[in-house]
Amino acid sequence: MAHDATRPSIRPHNPRFSSGPCAKRPGWSLAALDGAALGRSHRAKVPKAKLAEVIARSRAILGMPPEWRLGIVPGSDTGAVEMAMWTLLGPHPVDVLAFESFGEGWATDVAKQLRIEHRVLAAPYGRLPDLAAVDWSRDVVFTWNGTTSGVRVPDGDWIAPDRQGLAICDATSAAFAMDLPYDRLDVVTWSWQKVLGGEAAHGMLALSPRAVERLLSHKPAWPLPKLFRLVSGGKLIEGIFKGETINTPSMLCVEDALDGLRWAEAIGGLPGLIARAEANLAAVAGWVETTPNYAFLAEDPATRSCTSICLSITAPWFTRLSTAQQAEAAKAIASLLETEGVALDAGGYRDAPPGLRLWGGATVETADIAAVLPWLDWAAETVAAQFTTVPVAE
């Protein structure tokens, strides 16, 4: 029977497939942090220079236009997105794209916290909303890549070049793995913990000249916490974009971020990073074509993420289970993979349909992706025995 499958003989060298915090770069060790400016004020010359270096190297690798501003902000990507929404939104109605958990969270903030006139353009997990329905006379908030759904927008062609509103893009699992068209964007956010495998809690906020103009011309109708303030006395707080952080950053995390950026440069910069992530997606795609046990959650190949690769479980025994049983079975598969030490943190996101999720960003070796895939089949076929007494067709 199918659940008597032979245990694979090859194991991933690195079983860390978490979608955040993500795997460290190949070859990483604690020695990478030896130069950290520990025990120093982040306002001192050396630590401040390291913060500015993170900004400069990030800009260069991403090919960010020189007129854009980039700063380090608190609260990881969530803090960066919230800062953008609370300081920029208000002058226009808002369209929010919600096709995974974080987009739904931004929609909740717009509706219940900021209480701005808005529309939510929603789609179920695995699909995108109708991008042609977006109204660019409005401000638009969206994720470029749905970390919890494995769905990404295919390109920036749907974003109006002559838009009146701002395009506010949560790019936390897209930056450093996908091309971002800065001429079609106004705000881009991400965190260190995703594609370059940095440590958590620090966010990056990039602003176009149009976004800066909005900051200077618009005063929000609501109180702004100190952590969100980008303007003082009617002027942009320029220091934020030169390494003068609003709150105290971890210099250990800063050193780790610099290590990831230097590694990215060494492997060819953005093209090299994208190539590694796309190779990981291609490996999974080739396997999906051969297995009866799994399929991509993203239905359209053009929208399949190369970082947060989300899989539906399609094994015949699984599809016959109730929704509650499917959730239990998916957890059992993920637990078995972790117990075997071949895939850590591979369970699907809690709000997503029952399934698995493999991080395929640039720090993950394609050889490890290839090695773990037979284990996914083995785990599905092994767990089948716990959920059915009827022989499963081979």
Side-chain angles (χ1 to χ4, degrees):
M1 293 185 297
H3 56 259
D4 291 329
T6 302
R7 181 191 302 269
S9 59
I10 299 175
R11 292 172 173 268
H13 175 72
N14 185 353
R16 294 169 178 82
F17 295 102
S18 166
S19 289
C22 301
K24 311 299 286 184
R25 63 158 174 87
W28 184 92
S29 73
L30 286 172
L33 309 181
D34 285 349
L38 303 182
R40 299 290 309 275
S41 167
H42 60 292
R43 298 183 179 90
K45 182 178 180 180
V46 170
K48 184 178 175 182
K50 287 180 176 290
L51 289 161
E53 185 181 352
V54 170
I55 294 171
R57 288 183 183 270
S58 298
R59 293 181 64 98
I61 293 171
L62 293 172
M64 190 171 292
E67 65 271 16
W68 277 57
R69 288 171 171 85
L70 176 62
I72 300 167
V73 299
S76 195
D77 177 69
T78 300
V81 176
E82 296 280 11
M83 182 179 292
M85 291 198 300
W86 283 67
T87 56
L88 293 168
L89 296 183
H92 297 275
V94 181
D95 277 358
V96 186
L97 274 59
F99 54 95
E100 51 97 45
S101 179
F102 289 96
E104 292 171 356
W106 309 144
T108 297
D109 283 356
V110 169
K112 296 186 177 181
Q113 304 300 324
L114 302 180
R115 300 179 181 180
I116 301 171
E117 180 186 341
H118 68 282
R119 300 187 307 168
V120 177
L121 282 66
Y125 277 79
R127 302 178 189 175
L128 282 175
D130 180 4
L131 300 180
V134 174
D135 181 354
W136 287 105
S137 69
R138 297 167 169 248
D139 293 329
V140 180
V141 179
F142 67 100
T143 53
W144 189 275
N145 181 82
T147 310
T148 66
S149 69
V151 174
R152 59 175 163 179
V153 296
D155 51 45
D157 292 349
W158 59 283
I159 302 172
D162 58 349
R163 61 194 175 278
Q164 298 174 38
L166 298 179
I168 300 175
C169 175
D170 171 358
T172 190
S173 54
F176 297 100
M178 303 173 195
D179 275 316
L180 299 173
Y182 293 100
D183 61 327
R184 300 293 180 100
L185 301 171
D186 297 294
V187 177
V188 178
T189 68
W190 68 90
S191 65
W192 297 352
Q193 71 191 48
K194 297 294 187 183
V195 177
L196 296 186
E199 294 304 299
H202 300 77
M204 301 295 285
L205 175 65
L207 303 174
S208 73
R210 295 182 74 241
V212 172
E213 181 182 1
R214 171 74 66 83
L215 279 173
L216 297 177
S217 63
H218 166 62
K219 183 175 181 180
W222 41 81
L224 284 180
K226 180 179 179 180
L227 285 178
F228 286 0
R229 296 173 196 163
L230 297 168
V231 173
S232 177
K235 296 182 179 180
L236 191 69
I237 305 176
E238 293 284 1
I240 293 173
F241 309 101
K242 299 177 182 178
E244 298 172 11
T245 56
I246 296 173
N247 69 330
T248 304
S250 163
M251 296 310 299
L252 200 64
C253 293
V254 169
E255 197 66 29
D256 192 55
L258 286 171
D259 175 75
L261 290 163
R262 293 182 187 117
W263 170 77
E265 293 164 353
I267 64 166
L270 186 59
L273 295 167
I274 292 174
R276 288 176 63 90
E278 291 291 348
N280 290 336
L281 174 60
V284 177
W287 166 77
V288 163
E289 292 180 358
T290 68
T291 177
N293 295 317
Y294 298 93
F296 285 104
L297 181 57
E299 298 174 3
D300 180 354
T303 70
R304 289 173 186 164
S305 171
C306 62
T307 54
S308 53
I309 303 172
C310 296
L311 299 169
S312 299
I313 303 171
T314 56
W317 65 267
F318 184 88
T319 60
R320 293 194 291 266
L321 301 178
S322 68
T323 301
Q325 289 173 321
Q326 287 183 349
E328 184 181 352
K331 289 180 181 179
I333 292 172
S335 178
L336 179 57
L337 293 167
E338 183 148 350
T339 298
E340 290 291 331
V342 294
L344 307 180
D345 310 318
Y349 193 74
R350 60 181 178 268
D351 294 335
L356 299 180
R357 179 174 60 164
L358 297 175
W359 182 255
T363 58
V364 176
E365 299 278 27
T366 302
D368 286 334
I369 290 282
V372 79
L373 298 175
W375 286 95
L376 303 192
D377 276 322
W378 173 82
E381 293 161 3
T382 301
V383 167
Q386 304 174 28
F387 288 88
T388 179
T389 58
V390 180
V392 179
E394 294 188 11

